[in-house]
């Protein structure tokens, strides 16, 4: 007799769709480096620049961001390159999918 209530089988789940950074909106990959407090995170971006990321209210209410998470960030202004907005956070199966399909060099 199998118990199907309250159990989750994540081994058979396959990622079908993964959100990618939109280059026309200047979105890039970033890795959460250090929690600074007050909804700010130091983010190491794929272009080699370390920026101070701001967690917007929409994301802050829905999910938690931890050090080491893979993110999509957007520099809000062209004249201030040391800041960015956090747009999206990837979960572990999505990161594995990105590595498998060579979107990540890490």
């Amino acid at each position: 007799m199998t118990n199907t209530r309250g159990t989750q089988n994540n081994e058979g789940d396959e990622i079908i769709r993964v959100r990618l950074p939109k280059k026309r909106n200047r979105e890039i990959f970033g890795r959460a480096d250090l929690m600074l407090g007050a909804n700010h995170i130091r983010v190491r971006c794929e272009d080699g620049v370390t920026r101070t990321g701001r967690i917007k209210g929409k994301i802050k209410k829905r999910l938690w961001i931890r050090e080491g998470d893979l993110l999509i960030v957007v520099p809000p202004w062209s004249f201030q390159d040391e800041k960015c907005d956090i747009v999206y956070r990837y979960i572990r199966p999505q990161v594995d999918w990105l590595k498998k399909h060579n979107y990540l060099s890490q």
Side-chain angles (χ1 to χ4, degrees):
M1 190 164 144
T2 59
N3 182 9
T4 59
R5 205 165 75 185
T7 61
Q8 294 179 354
N9 184 9
N10 290 335
E11 294 175 10
D13 294 344
E14 184 177 335
I15 300 296
I16 297 171
R17 182 179 298 173
V18 175
R19 186 186 189 290
L20 296 173
K22 298 176 180 140
K23 299 297 179 185
R24 64 174 183 207
N25 294 344
R26 298 183 2 205
E27 295 179 349
I28 56 174
F29 286 117
R31 180 82 57 180
D33 195 26
L34 179 68
M35 304 299 290
L36 299 174
N39 303 322
H40 289 80
I41 299 177
R42 190 168 62 196
V43 178
R44 185 172 300 132
C45 299
E46 71 175 347
D47 59 357
V49 179
T50 300
R51 295 181 171 95
T52 302
R54 177 177 59 178
I55 304 172
K56 301 188 106 178
K58 180 180 177 182
I59 294 175
K60 180 175 65 171
K61 304 277 192 242
R62 293 184 180 173
L63 52 93
W64 288 76
I65 297 176
R66 296 177 301 271
E67 293 177 4
D69 283 345
L70 184 66
L71 310 167
I72 294 179
V73 297
V74 176
W77 306 287
S78 60
F79 60 86
Q80 195 171 22
D81 198 39
E82 65 270 1
K83 294 188 178 181
C84 65
D85 288 334
I86 297 171
V87 178
Y88 187 79
R89 179 189 65 118
Y90 288 102
I91 59 175
R92 175 61 59 194
Q94 292 173 329
V95 173
D96 294 339
W97 187 92
L98 288 168
K99 286 181 182 177
K100 184 173 132 183
H101 288 87
N102 297 325
Y103 285 102
L104 294 177
S105 60
Q106 303 169 3

